[in-house]
Amino acid sequence: MSFCQNNDTRTRLLLKNVVASFAIKGWSAIIVLLMVPLTLKILGVYNNGVWLTISSILIWIDLMDIGLGNGLRNAVSHYVAIGDDESVKKAVSSTFFMLAVIVIPILLVLFAVIWGFDMYGALGVDAEKTHDLNTILSVALVLASTTFILKATGSFYMGIQLPAVNNLIVCIGHTLALVLTYILYLLDVHSLLLVVFVNTFSLVLTWAAFIPYTFLKAYPQYRPTLRHIDLKLARSLCSTGIQFFVIQICGVLLFMTTNILISKWFSPAEVTPYQVAYRYFNIAFVAFSTICIPFWNATADAYSRKDYKWIRRSSHKLNLLMVGIFLLLTVMVMVSEVVYQIWIGDEVHIPFELSVCTAAYIFILSLSQRYSYILNGLNQLKIQLVFIIGATIVFYPLAWYVCKTFGTVTSLVCVMCLVNIPGVLANAWKYYQLFPRKQLTTNDNDE
């Protein structure tokens, strides 16, 4: 495959990735819908809850790459754009090496914790209902850690502007997990250990199968080797990666703790209305992300080649996309009560103002990502770091005060909107500093 792209080739590649990603993510959503009742039937309510708890632990392991995946993604994009195949090979080799260096000591420490402490007490699990918890945790950690290393292949594909391939590999792994879990159901097996094994091993097997295809057949010029491990380059990847890592951690603290705060400050019953509204309006954000993510490395490629005409046209398309997202969210708010009635009936009441604020929150996140995806591709992370750290620091005390004063979940969502607005403005300012409006609005004939 030739990577010497003109703007038409780049645009065609981007469009193919968007269309393919929509199809793949659609199937992935179906898998999630099918897997939930399936594991529930196999494990029952209690052990299914244990599996979900273990899954949440594995998500944190995924973040321990200190951003090396995104660092590799940007490095590959840059080196491919300038035709430096040797540096691509060094970046891939160094990333695999560094991921192994990171995960092995973490795995040893976690093993010591699992077998040295009372994990039943730590996770609040009843030993009479769940057997061999230490073994289950150990198997999950070993397989998740293996995936942690192998999935660097996905970052490579994103770096060469093929995010749909990364999505496809993950989707195949999840499909395999669904098939194996269904086989357990047909065999009337009710083992938590086996459910954990098939769900974690499926991704290991899929990534392991794609690595030889990727680096021996499709892109042999980039095949990682021991002699291409470059510690100096690895330090550079880590330097960029750590910035991504901090942004990821702050993002988790800002966006993933809402349910806990609602449960603690209001009541667990109040989590459900918020989750219903959030999942409904998040459809717009998922659609937006699917379209926008391929612009990350496509813009980085164009920037490396000084193809400002393509960047200008892409900026116009992203602006139109934001108008589309705004109109979509507006319509979703207008029909929300009808949708809720069809979806969940009268069991849960979602206040209209909660729907409005949740839609506003999703729009603010989308607008922020419209700029940050491009900035990420260019390694312009410092301003994002400053504002997301500031938002994280301000969020909790401000949220506590507002919730105590107004006493509604809607007020918490308003705070979530408020703390993210400065980041949107900062991202937009940095974007237009790199690409001045005059440059982005110049007619093509002026070139």
Side-chain angles (χ1 to χ4, degrees):
M1 176 179 177
S2 173
F3 291 105
C4 298
Q5 302 179 50
N6 57 36
N7 52 23
D8 291 333
T9 304
R10 187 186 301 112
T11 301
R12 285 197 298 270
L13 183 60
L14 186 147
L15 290 174
K16 287 179 181 178
N17 275 275
V18 169
V19 173
S21 293
F22 261 113
I24 292 166
K25 289 195 175 184
W27 172 241
S28 296
I30 294 172
I31 291 174
V32 171
L33 292 175
L34 294 173
M35 188 67 87
V36 171
L38 192 57
T39 54
L40 193 57
K41 289 178 180 178
I42 293 173
L43 299 176
V45 175
Y46 189 85
N47 278 323
N48 187 65
V50 176
W51 163 230
L52 292 175
T53 302
I54 294 172
S55 299
S56 65
I57 295 172
L58 301 182
I59 290 173
W60 281 96
I61 292 178
D62 198 49
L63 292 175
M64 292 299 106
D65 73 341
I66 61 171
L68 272 171
N70 285 329
L72 173 64
R73 175 179 180 174
N74 285 357
V76 168
S77 179
H78 172 69
Y79 291 134
V80 166
I82 63 176
D84 190 349
D85 289 356
E86 185 72 8
S87 291
V88 174
K89 196 167 186 174
K90 287 182 179 180
V92 173
S93 303
S94 302
T95 298
F96 276 112
F97 172 73
M98 288 302 298
L99 289 174
V101 168
I102 291 169
V103 79
I104 291 174
I106 290 177
L107 192 58
L108 293 175
V109 170
L110 291 175
F111 272 168
V113 171
I114 290 171
W115 295 99
F117 294 88
D118 177 18
M119 297 309 298
Y120 283 97
L123 298 178
V125 176
D126 188 340
E128 294 184 1
K129 295 180 180 179
T130 304
H131 304 294
D132 302 318
L133 181 61
N134 287 5
T135 302
I136 292 168
L137 288 170
S138 298
V139 169
L141 288 173
V142 168
L143 293 175
S145 297
T146 305
T147 301
F148 174 89
I149 299 172
L150 300 181
K151 71 183 181 69
T153 308
S155 298
F156 165 77
Y157 274 112
M158 288 190 283
I160 60 174
Q161 300 181 56
L162 293 174
V165 177
N166 174 68
N167 295 336
L168 177 63
I169 296 171
V170 175
C171 185
I172 290 173
H174 290 161
T175 303
L176 178 60
L178 176 65
V179 171
L180 294 176
T181 304
Y182 185 64
I183 291 173
L184 292 180
Y185 172 71
L186 293 178
L187 296 175
D188 198 28
V189 174
H190 302 281
S191 168
L192 175 58
L193 175 59
L194 286 178
V195 168
V196 170
F197 176 78
V198 300
N199 276 272
T200 50
F201 178 71
S202 296
L203 281 173
V204 172
L205 185 61
T206 307
W207 283 116
F210 266 87
I211 286 178
Y213 168 79
T214 301
F215 294 115
L216 293 180
K217 184 177 181 180
Y219 306 101
Q221 69 272 33
Y222 303 138
R223 184 178 70 251
T225 64
L226 289 175
R227 68 184 183 86
H228 281 90
I229 295 172
D230 187 330
L231 294 181
K232 184 177 180 180
L233 180 57
R235 284 195 297 270
S236 174
L237 291 172
C238 284
S239 176
T240 301
I242 287 173
Q243 295 180 69
F244 278 116
F245 176 65
V246 174
I247 291 173
Q248 287 173 327
I249 292 296
C250 289
V252 168
L253 292 174
L254 274 176
F255 309 133
M256 303 295 285
T257 59
T258 308
N259 291 347
I260 298 172
L261 297 180
I262 293 173
S263 179
K264 184 175 180 60
W265 291 344
F266 299 98
S267 99
E270 295 292 335
V271 175
T272 302
Y274 167 73
Q275 271 297 303
V276 170
Y278 176 79
R279 291 185 183 189
Y280 171 56
F281 289 106
N282 195 52
I283 294 171
F285 185 73
V286 171
F288 167 79
S289 297
T290 302
I291 296 171
C292 199
I293 284 177
F295 282 89
W296 176 323
N297 287 107
T299 304
D301 177 85
Y303 189 74
S304 295
R305 301 175 194 273
K306 302 186 186 304
D307 190 351
Y308 299 117
K309 178 194 288 188
W310 189 90
I311 294 172
R312 178 169 65 252
R313 290 174 174 172
S314 297
S315 181
H316 178 65
K317 292 173 183 176
L318 289 173
N319 289 337
L320 290 177
L321 177 60
M322 288 311 309
V323 173
I325 293 297
F326 177 80
L327 294 175
L328 174 60
L329 287 169
T330 301
V331 172
M332 290 178 74
V333 169
M334 293 171 63
V335 302
S336 60
E337 293 187 4
V338 176
V339 173
Y340 296 149
Q341 182 66 33
I342 296 172
W343 186 16
I344 58 174
D346 297 322
E347 294 182 22
V348 180
H349 172 66
I350 297 93
F352 183 73
E353 59 270 21
L354 178 60
S355 294
V356 173
C357 288
T358 306
Y361 173 62
I362 293 297
F363 180 76
I364 290 169
L365 288 186
S366 301
L367 186 58
S368 180
Q369 297 290 355
R370 177 259 183 270
Y371 298 111
S372 66
Y373 281 142
I374 308 303
L375 297 178
N376 290 347
L378 304 179
N379 287 329
Q380 298 291 328
L381 305 176
K382 289 184 180 179
I383 194 164
Q384 293 185 69
L385 272 174
V386 171
F387 278 86
I388 197 167
I389 291 173
T392 305
I393 293 171
V394 169
F395 173 64
Y396 289 97
L398 181 60
W400 179 85
Y401 174 77
V402 170
C403 289
K404 291 298 181 183
T405 302
F406 296 96
T408 65
V409 174
T410 302
S411 64
L412 176 60
V413 179
C414 288
V415 174
M416 292 161 61
C417 293
L418 185 64
V419 299
N420 280 285
I421 289 175
V424 174
L425 298 176
N427 286 345
W429 173 81
K430 185 62 180 179
Y431 178 84
Y432 287 113
Q433 184 186 53
L434 290 170
F435 308 111
R437 287 184 181 274
K438 182 178 179 181
Q439 185 185 69
L440 292 173
T441 55
T442 304
N443 293 327
D444 293 346
N445 295 332
D446 294 341
E447 294 188 346

